[in-house]
Amino acid sequence: MLEADKGGFMLTNKSVLALVGALVVALTTAGAVVQAAPAEAATPRISSACSSVPTTTTEYDGVPGPIFYKRLQCMASRAGYGGAIDGQMRSDAWFFVAKRLAVGGYYQSGDFYGSEHPQTIAALQRWAAAHGRYSGPVDGVWGPNSYRGAAWALNREF
C-alpha cells in the first residue's frame, strides 16, 4: 500500500511488487493484442483452386494452353484476383497479373492494363529473364521462348 511520506508517497515492497506484476501483465496482454501481423499476412493468399493446377507443358513446347493461363490466374490471385481459375484470361486477371509483376519491379508502366498488353508481356519477359529462363528481347511480343520462360517461372512460383 501507499504510505504518506512528507507530502509524497512511499511505496512498500509489497506494493512495488504488485505494481510491477500488474505492469508486466498489462504489457504482456497488450503486446498479445496489439502485436502486428507479419507483412506477408497482408498479402493476399493464392487461390485454393491453384493447389490442383498441374504444371504446364508450355515450359517445354512454347505453346500456351489452358493450364498456362490457369497458372497466370494463380499468379494474379496473389495480387488480389478473386475470379475463377479456369484458364480463360479476362480483363481482371490480366490487371492483377500486372499488379503482381509490379510488386517485383518487373512491370515498368504506371498503368495496369486489363488485357494481354505489351507492357504486361514485357513484364513477364523480364520476370522470366530474372529467373534465368529467358534471354530474348524484352519487346512485349509473345514468342515460343517468351512462353517457355514465363511457363518455367510459373511452374516454380507455386
Side-chain angles (χ1 to χ4, degrees), residues 56-65 68-69 72 94 116 121 124-125 127-128 133-134 140-155:
T56 175
T57 58
T58 306
E59 173 182 343
Y60 305 106
D61 61 21
V63 178
F68 174 81
Y69 291 111
L72 273 177
W94 281 113
E116 197 168 3
I121 297 167
L124 284 162
Q125 290 169 327
W127 183 61
R133 293 300 172 157
Y134 179 70
V141 177
W142 280 122
N145 288 330
S146 299
Y147 282 120
R148 281 187 196 100
W152 187 93
L154 284 168
N155 280 340

Side-chain angles (χ1 to χ4, degrees), residues 55-154:
T55 56
T56 175
T57 58
T58 306
E59 173 182 343
Y60 305 106
D61 61 21
V63 178
I67 295 172
F68 174 81
Y69 291 111
K70 283 181 181 183
R71 287 200 156 264
L72 273 177
Q73 288 171 324
C74 289
M75 171 192 254
S77 76
R78 296 186 75 195
Y81 170 70
I85 307 295
D86 60 4
Q88 301 295 315
M89 292 294 286
R90 289 172 285 283
S91 62
D92 56 342
W94 281 113
F95 176 84
F96 284 107
V97 165
K99 280 190 75 168
R100 179 65 186 161
L101 290 165
V103 169
Y106 305 109
Y107 194 87
Q108 297 182 343
S109 172
D111 298 319
F112 297 121
Y113 299 97
S115 64
E116 197 168 3
H117 192 274
Q119 290 289 337
T120 306
I121 297 167
L124 284 162
Q125 290 169 327
R126 282 187 206 90
W127 183 61
H131 283 84
R133 293 300 172 157
Y134 179 70
S135 58
V138 176
D139 57 5
V141 177
W142 280 122
N145 288 330
S146 299
Y147 282 120
R148 281 187 196 100
W152 187 93
L154 284 168

